[in-house]
């Protein structure tokens, strides 16, 4: 089980709940499908992240959600806006 202060390496794909659109990922094939690559030189950035659980290296909701999960398994986690990037503010959208 993953616990606070564990160092883990993780792959992820982040999607918008309403549209299922991918906005971030560590997986090259997902990035290509979502057209997140601007040119071939960017391929090297799609690698697993090395992080320490509970140390603020992730969105707060994801940090909390990973605690207690099994290693080496895929998990689906839904994070509320207040535990991620904050509530949408139409005044900040351009």
């Amino acid at each position: 089980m993953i616990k606070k202060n564990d160092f883990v390496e993780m792959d992820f794909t982040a999607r918008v709940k309403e549209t299922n659109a991918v906005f971030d990922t560590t997986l090259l094939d997902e990035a290509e499908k979502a057209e997140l690559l601007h040119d071939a030189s960017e391929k090297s950035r799609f690698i697993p992240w090395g992080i320490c659980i509970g140390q603020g290296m992730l969105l707060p909701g994801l940090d909390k959600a990973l605690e207690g999960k099994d290693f080496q398994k895929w998990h689906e986690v839904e994070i509320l806006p207040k535990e991620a990037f904050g509530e949408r503010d139409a005044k900040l959208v351009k």
Side-chain angles (χ1 to χ4, degrees):
M1 296 287 188
I2 298 172
K3 57 190 181 306
K4 187 173 181 174
N5 297 321
D6 279 349
F7 286 89
V8 299
E9 192 172 82
M10 65 179 265
D11 276 308
F12 71 90
T13 297
R15 300 176 186 276
V16 177
K17 181 180 179 181
E18 293 79 12
T19 63
N20 207 35
V22 173
F23 66 88
D24 199 7
T25 185
T26 58
L27 303 169
L28 180 58
D29 61 329
E30 289 287 337
E32 289 173 334
K33 282 190 266 183
E35 299 179 358
L36 298 178
L37 290 168
H38 301 291
D39 61 58
S41 69
E42 292 184 319
K43 287 184 178 185
S44 64
R45 75 180 179 99
F46 295 96
I47 58 173
W49 283 5
I51 52 108
C52 185
I53 300 296
Q55 297 304 308
M57 298 176 77
L58 299 170
L59 297 171
L62 181 56
D63 224 359
K64 286 184 228 167
L66 291 176
E67 286 188 52
K69 298 283 192 236
D70 289 330
F71 284 102
Q72 298 182 344
K73 289 188 178 181
W74 285 98
H75 301 282
E76 187 170 315
V77 175
E78 184 175 325
I79 303 170
L80 297 174
K82 67 182 179 182
E83 295 178 326
F85 300 106
E87 297 293 336
R88 183 178 174 91
D89 184 346
K91 294 179 284 187
L92 299 175
V93 178
K94 292 183 181 184

